[in-house]
Amino acid sequence: MHGYAVVVRVAGEVDALTVCELHWEIAVGLALATPPAPVVVDLTEVEFFAAAGLNELHHGHVAAKAAGVALRVVACHRHVLRPFEISGLDRELRPCRTLAEALAIRTPRALKPVSLQAVTHASGVH
């Protein structure tokens, strides 16, 4: 946990033999998620990243959207970024360069923060 965000740190190899662990960690992250805080999959310590990992991240992204949670990925090494680019997954799930970037909570421009004063005034409480 990082504040309200859930961070899944991945290290080593992500391939057909290890992808089940990634699946369960993302599922747990989504179960613990507190919107609008994201679930972040940190791949900065990954040494090998296969298509099975891409597939799992895509499934996690779809599940996160269905749950109303943002799934974000941190990746900075070419051996992880290149598969994202080749597959086109980077257009759907753009990797962040740093954990700080991935943890930033983004709110749509249409939403404006509501002040406590406005809420109490609208409810008749003074």
mmCIF file of all heavy atoms in Angstrom, residues 114-123 125-126:
data_model
loop_
_atom_site.group_PDB
_atom_site.id
_atom_site.type_symbol
_atom_site.label_atom_id
_atom_site.label_comp_id
_atom_site.label_asym_id
_atom_site.label_seq_id
_atom_site.Cartn_x
_atom_site.Cartn_y
_atom_site.Cartn_z
ATOM 1 N N VAL A 114 -15.517 20.034 -4.682
ATOM 2 C CA VAL A 114 -16.621 20.674 -3.980
ATOM 3 C C VAL A 114 -16.123 21.056 -2.595
ATOM 4 O O VAL A 114 -15.552 20.239 -1.888
ATOM 5 C CB VAL A 114 -17.821 19.710 -3.869
ATOM 6 C CG1 VAL A 114 -18.965 20.345 -3.104
ATOM 7 C CG2 VAL A 114 -18.273 19.272 -5.246
ATOM 8 N N SER A 115 -16.388 22.292 -2.216
ATOM 9 C CA SER A 115 -15.949 22.740 -0.898
ATOM 10 C C SER A 115 -16.932 22.278 0.161
ATOM 11 O O SER A 115 -18.119 22.057 -0.112
ATOM 12 C CB SER A 115 -15.834 24.268 -0.863
ATOM 13 O OG SER A 115 -17.123 24.845 -0.917
ATOM 14 N N LEU A 116 -16.462 22.122 1.372
ATOM 15 C CA LEU A 116 -17.315 21.740 2.493
ATOM 16 C C LEU A 116 -18.391 22.777 2.697
ATOM 17 O O LEU A 116 -19.535 22.474 2.996
ATOM 18 C CB LEU A 116 -16.465 21.545 3.758
ATOM 19 C CG LEU A 116 -17.224 21.127 4.994
ATOM 20 C CD1 LEU A 116 -17.964 19.813 4.742
ATOM 21 C CD2 LEU A 116 -16.298 20.976 6.169
ATOM 22 N N GLN A 117 -18.057 24.053 2.504
ATOM 23 C CA GLN A 117 -19.020 25.140 2.673
ATOM 24 C C GLN A 117 -20.180 24.972 1.685
ATOM 25 O O GLN A 117 -21.340 25.124 2.054
ATOM 26 C CB GLN A 117 -18.323 26.482 2.466
ATOM 27 C CG GLN A 117 -19.259 27.652 2.680
ATOM 28 C CD GLN A 117 -18.547 28.971 2.488
ATOM 29 O OE1 GLN A 117 -17.477 29.027 1.876
ATOM 30 N NE2 GLN A 117 -19.128 30.041 2.986
ATOM 31 N N ALA A 118 -19.897 24.620 0.446
ATOM 32 C CA ALA A 118 -20.949 24.435 -0.544
ATOM 33 C C ALA A 118 -21.846 23.261 -0.188
ATOM 34 O O ALA A 118 -23.065 23.318 -0.362
ATOM 35 C CB ALA A 118 -20.341 24.219 -1.924
ATOM 36 N N VAL A 119 -21.271 22.198 0.356
ATOM 37 C CA VAL A 119 -22.056 21.020 0.725
ATOM 38 C C VAL A 119 -22.965 21.335 1.896
ATOM 39 O O VAL A 119 -24.155 21.008 1.898
ATOM 40 C CB VAL A 119 -21.130 19.830 1.065
ATOM 41 C CG1 VAL A 119 -21.930 18.674 1.643
ATOM 42 C CG2 VAL A 119 -20.379 19.388 -0.173
ATOM 43 N N THR A 120 -22.452 22.011 2.930
ATOM 44 C CA THR A 120 -23.274 22.320 4.096
ATOM 45 C C THR A 120 -24.350 23.331 3.747
ATOM 46 O O THR A 120 -25.472 23.251 4.240
ATOM 47 C CB THR A 120 -22.421 22.841 5.264
ATOM 48 O OG1 THR A 120 -21.668 23.970 4.837
ATOM 49 C CG2 THR A 120 -21.512 21.757 5.782
ATOM 50 N N HIS A 121 -24.049 24.282 2.864
ATOM 51 C CA HIS A 121 -25.037 25.279 2.452
ATOM 52 C C HIS A 121 -26.175 24.602 1.677
ATOM 53 O O HIS A 121 -27.347 24.859 1.906
ATOM 54 C CB HIS A 121 -24.366 26.364 1.614
ATOM 55 C CG HIS A 121 -25.318 27.425 1.139
ATOM 56 N ND1 HIS A 121 -26.473 27.760 1.795
ATOM 57 C CD2 HIS A 121 -25.283 28.236 0.049
ATOM 58 C CE1 HIS A 121 -27.099 28.715 1.163
ATOM 59 N NE2 HIS A 121 -26.402 29.015 0.078
ATOM 60 N N ALA A 122 -25.816 23.694 0.755
ATOM 61 C CA ALA A 122 -26.823 22.999 -0.055
ATOM 62 C C ALA A 122 -27.695 22.079 0.799
ATOM 63 O O ALA A 122 -28.858 21.870 0.484
ATOM 64 C CB ALA A 122 -26.130 22.190 -1.166
ATOM 65 N N SER A 123 -27.156 21.547 1.868
ATOM 66 C CA SER A 123 -27.920 20.628 2.704
ATOM 67 C C SER A 123 -28.688 21.348 3.812
ATOM 68 O O SER A 123 -29.433 20.732 4.548
ATOM 69 C CB SER A 123 -26.999 19.581 3.321
ATOM 70 O OG SER A 123 -26.113 20.194 4.236
ATOM 71 N N VAL A 125 -27.323 22.773 6.397
ATOM 72 C CA VAL A 125 -26.567 22.725 7.643
ATOM 73 C C VAL A 125 -25.617 23.919 7.671
ATOM 74 O O VAL A 125 -24.903 24.167 6.728
ATOM 75 C CB VAL A 125 -25.759 21.411 7.751
ATOM 76 C CG1 VAL A 125 -24.942 21.401 9.028
ATOM 77 C CG2 VAL A 125 -26.681 20.228 7.694
ATOM 78 N N HIS A 126 -25.635 24.674 8.759
ATOM 79 C CA HIS A 126 -24.738 25.843 8.869
ATOM 80 C C HIS A 126 -23.911 25.767 10.112
ATOM 81 O O HIS A 126 -24.195 25.333 11.111
ATOM 82 C CB HIS A 126 -25.529 27.148 8.850
ATOM 83 C CG HIS A 126 -26.255 27.342 7.553
ATOM 84 N ND1 HIS A 126 -25.648 27.728 6.402
ATOM 85 C CD2 HIS A 126 -27.577 27.168 7.247
ATOM 86 C CE1 HIS A 126 -26.542 27.829 5.432
ATOM 87 N NE2 HIS A 126 -27.727 27.478 5.933
#
